Amino acid sequence: MDFTNDTALESARLHELFVRYTHPYPHERLCVRVRYSRRSAFSGSCYYREGRIFINLGRRNRYPYVICTHVARARSFGTHWRREAYKLTVTDAYELALFIYRHELFHHLVHAAGRCVRRKESMCDRFATRVLVDHFACPLLDSSGSLVARAAWDFQDLDGFVSAAAPPILRNEPAPLAAEIGPLFAAIPRAAAIRPIPVTIRL
């Protein structure tokens, strides 16, 4: 991975996070840039042909930070569709950067697998949310503040959808659990009060 970090975050920690949670997909040709955003709380972009991913973080973000995701099922109401914005709470800027990276990585994998790249925002959010829920115990809440049942958001075989992008011998190897990644990524106590901030990823 060609990696550059222009923020105050630890480069070694970010790089290890990204490499670890790219598995089992190849990362050698990826070009990843982490930098501060000009205005938005966060954003990301993926350039398919170059394998280039940009991760932009707001300088003034306060943590824990609430991300309004698009992981819920879309529901039809006659003439229109509606999707509830489930809220994912991340502890720090490293987890926010990982969410953005995984979101943009899935865009890259969709293209690498030869799939249509249009209308994949919800799938990208699910791909990112799954790691943060499973490996970092980040809570995913509905509009009432209740934990969202797994079946309500994790209902797609995302790895199967992009399986053509993974080396055959690595396709069935799981990523390590949070307990296996050492003190570098030890859990940080969460603040009691969290103020939801509606944001979206801009591509």
Side-chain angles (χ1 to χ4, degrees):
M1 179 185 293
D2 179 359
F3 172 80
T4 299
N5 169 38
D6 293 326
T7 72
L9 300 179
E10 296 178 14
S11 295
R13 182 175 177 181
L14 280 173
H15 181 261
E16 185 173 348
L17 267 177
F18 296 163
V19 170
R20 183 178 296 273
Y21 290 104
T22 303
H23 182 85
Y25 306 100
H27 61 78
E28 291 78 11
R29 296 184 179 181
L30 286 178
C31 180
V32 181
R33 300 289 181 260
V34 183
R35 58 193 183 181
Y36 286 117
S37 63
R38 295 181 179 179
R39 297 179 181 177
S40 62
F42 71 86
S43 64
S45 56
C46 174
Y47 295 86
Y48 304 118
R49 292 184 180 180
E50 301 88 352
R52 188 182 297 269
I53 292 175
F54 287 96
I55 298 166
N56 308 310
L57 301 172
R59 292 177 182 270
R60 298 179 178 83
N61 291 347
R62 294 185 178 183
Y63 300 93
Y65 187 86
V66 176
I67 305 169
C68 290
T69 70
H70 298 87
V71 300
R73 291 180 183 271
R75 299 181 181 276
S76 174
F77 293 88
T79 60
H80 62 281
W81 292 82
R82 181 178 299 171
R83 187 195 310 274
E84 182 176 353
Y86 292 154
K87 298 177 176 63
L88 179 73
T89 302
V90 295
T91 301
D92 54 26
Y94 294 96
E95 291 181 4
L96 177 58
L98 180 59
F99 178 89
I100 302 169
Y101 173 73
R102 288 275 297 187
H103 179 104
E104 300 303 334
L105 175 64
F106 197 77
H107 278 297
H108 168 75
L109 294 174
V110 168
H111 179 266
R115 299 281 192 170
C116 175
V117 298
R118 299 183 61 188
R119 299 180 180 179
K120 297 298 185 292
E121 292 303 309
S122 296
M123 297 179 75
C124 292
D125 270 10
R126 292 185 189 106
F127 190 72
T129 298
R130 188 172 61 187
V131 159
L132 289 163
V133 169
D134 290 348
H135 299 269
F136 295 86
C138 294
L140 184 67
L141 307 178
D142 61 19
S143 57
S144 68
S146 301
L147 287 172
V148 180
R150 187 77 183 218
W153 64 273
D154 192 13
F155 51 84
Q156 293 176 301
D157 182 6
L158 300 175
D159 290 303
F161 188 77
V162 296
S163 61
I169 61 173
L170 297 177
R171 288 176 186 170
N172 295 321
E173 294 186 14
L177 295 175
E180 302 172 359
I181 61 180
L184 185 61
F185 306 112
I188 300 174
R190 302 181 184 277
I194 299 173
R195 180 171 63 90
I197 304 174
V199 294
T200 57
I201 287 185
R202 298 175 180 175
L203 300 176

